[in-house]
Amino acid sequence: MRILIVGGTSFVGRAISWSAWHHGHDVTVLNRGVTPNDLPEKIERIVGDRQGDLSSLESRTFDVTIDAIAYRPSDVERLANALGDRGGHYIQISSISAYDDPGIEGANETTASLWGDDEADPNGPVTGTTYGPLKAASERAGLRFFGDGATMVRPTFVIGSFDATLRFPYWVERVRRGGVIAVPGPRTNNMQYVDARDLANFVVRVADEHLRGAFHVAGPQPGDHFFNMVDQIASHVAPAGTTLREVRAEDVLAARLEGKFPLWSGAQSENILALDSTLALSNGLDLRPLSDSVDDVASWWGERAWPERWLTSADEARLLEK
């Protein structure tokens, strides 16, 4: 199949590009030509900016269009206008953040509710607060401009190498350093994640089998807890003598360090991190063990320096003293 991947060189898009190529498809990636990439030479690269010039798509026809970077409904509209009816099956990489937090754990694709259109300015900035409502609005735009046959893939936290957010890599590298590690509580906070490669393989399956509708791409199933995830990382790569110590959520918040603990959902557990992924699993989603993702990140990170955005040893020590 001829597959167009919009935003196909960074993290999730990169993983999808590699998977589609490995599965023997004719792959074209569209991006601004700014992000360095390691894609095979046989993957065609075309330059375009959905905020500006998309003329490179003129007269091009694809069987499948995979949109990995739809953040506003206007993004979807511009892409649809550029492709017309030549885009084929439209698959949008959305997010579980498109949901208002469900009232119960185990919500599926029909029982969870998307944010409404009145929750965010469709032309406003993408922030931590507006990201979810804008993803929901982007989904509705996908159905409006590409038709009811469009597919919405909703991953939870995506983990693995090449992650520019450096969220999961923080925990892998902090554990590898050993010592006493501050892990914010409560221990019962829900947690789900998916390796970028597993997400990518599922998206290619969606394309191959023309699967329609919406799918949660989240594991494990049933869900895990945040503290337990860090404990599993420690069991795999921590040096001898490493200790995980739970720190109170209120102490983290009082110290204004919540932004230094990536993937932590905060003082209260979120049902959005305990979704039912049965539909995707029954349609071929295959989830690798967490240890595989840890090894992937550790190999990719190597011996790089500790980023400034991560928690400093001094801040961690002050938290642990409490």
Side-chain angles (χ1 to χ4, degrees), residues 165-289:
T165 72
L166 301 186
R167 295 181 297 191
F168 187 70
Y170 167 81
W171 290 107
V172 174
E173 287 309 298
R174 178 62 193 90
V175 165
R176 289 176 72 196
R177 291 188 171 210
V180 181
I181 301 173
V183 183
R187 286 175 177 255
T188 54
N189 272 11
N190 289 325
M191 185 66 196
Q192 285 181 310
Y193 43 82
V194 61
D195 191 288
R197 295 166 293 177
D198 298 337
L199 168 60
N201 290 338
F202 179 72
V203 170
V204 174
R205 179 179 287 270
V206 168
D208 281 338
E209 300 186 4
H210 309 290
L211 301 177
R212 312 290 176 166
F215 296 91
H216 294 161
V217 183
Q221 183 66 39
D224 202 352
H225 294 125
F226 178 75
F227 192 97
N228 188 50
M229 179 195 72
V230 181
D231 190 39
Q232 290 183 65
I233 297 171
S235 296
H236 189 59
V237 294
T242 299
T243 301
L244 303 185
R245 183 175 298 170
E246 180 181 356
V247 295
R248 298 187 308 168
E250 51 265 40
D251 290 336
V252 176
L253 296 173
R256 297 183 179 180
L257 292 174
E258 59 271 23
K260 298 294 186 179
F261 289 104
L263 306 180
W264 180 55
S265 59
Q268 295 184 344
S269 188
E270 295 183 355
N271 293 328
I272 202 173
L273 290 170
L275 294 174
D276 183 351
S277 304
T278 300
L279 183 61
L281 291 166
S282 66
N283 279 279
L285 172 62
D286 189 15
L287 299 170
R288 70 191 66 218

Side-chain angles (χ1 to χ4, degrees), residues 18-219:
W18 272 101
S19 180
W21 177 75
H22 276 299
H23 283 83
H25 293 298
D26 181 359
V27 180
T28 298
V29 299
L30 171 72
N31 64 13
R32 295 173 299 167
V34 174
T35 305
N37 70 82
D38 62 346
L39 299 179
E41 289 297 324
K42 289 187 176 180
I43 290 181
E44 182 184 12
R45 300 160 181 81
I46 57 177
V47 176
D49 185 351
R50 69 195 312 164
Q51 305 302 324
D53 184 9
L54 288 175
S55 60
S56 57
L57 291 175
E58 289 181 4
S59 304
R60 302 293 299 268
T61 300
F62 302 95
D63 301 302
V64 177
T65 295
I66 300 172
D67 191 353
I69 51 171
Y71 297 111
R72 295 184 181 89
S74 58
D75 294 342
V76 181
E77 182 177 8
R78 291 189 187 100
L79 180 63
N81 289 339
L83 283 171
D85 60 358
R86 295 172 284 103
H89 178 195
Y90 178 73
I91 303 170
Q92 185 180 127
I93 311 303
S94 183
S95 168
I96 62 162
S97 296
Y99 291 129
D100 191 357
D101 197 44
I104 59 171
E105 295 181 4
N108 61 31
E109 291 83 354
T110 58
T111 59
S113 299
L114 296 176
W115 289 102
D117 273 330
D118 58 347
E119 299 292 339
D121 177 358
N123 298 310
V126 180
T127 67
T129 301
T130 66
Y131 174 78
L134 288 174
K135 291 298 279 187
S138 297
E139 285 197 22
R140 284 187 284 270
L143 295 172
R144 184 164 65 251
F145 292 109
F146 287 95
D148 292 339
T151 302
M152 303 299 156
V153 177
R154 299 171 184 150
T156 182
F157 288 125
V158 183
I159 64 175
S161 56
F162 296 90
D163 177 6
T165 72
L166 301 186
R167 295 181 297 191
F168 187 70
Y170 167 81
W171 290 107
V172 174
E173 287 309 298
R174 178 62 193 90
V175 165
R176 289 176 72 196
R177 291 188 171 210
V180 181
I181 301 173
V183 183
R187 286 175 177 255
T188 54
N189 272 11
N190 289 325
M191 185 66 196
Q192 285 181 310
Y193 43 82
V194 61
D195 191 288
R197 295 166 293 177
D198 298 337
L199 168 60
N201 290 338
F202 179 72
V203 170
V204 174
R205 179 179 287 270
V206 168
D208 281 338
E209 300 186 4
H210 309 290
L211 301 177
R212 312 290 176 166
F215 296 91
H216 294 161
V217 183

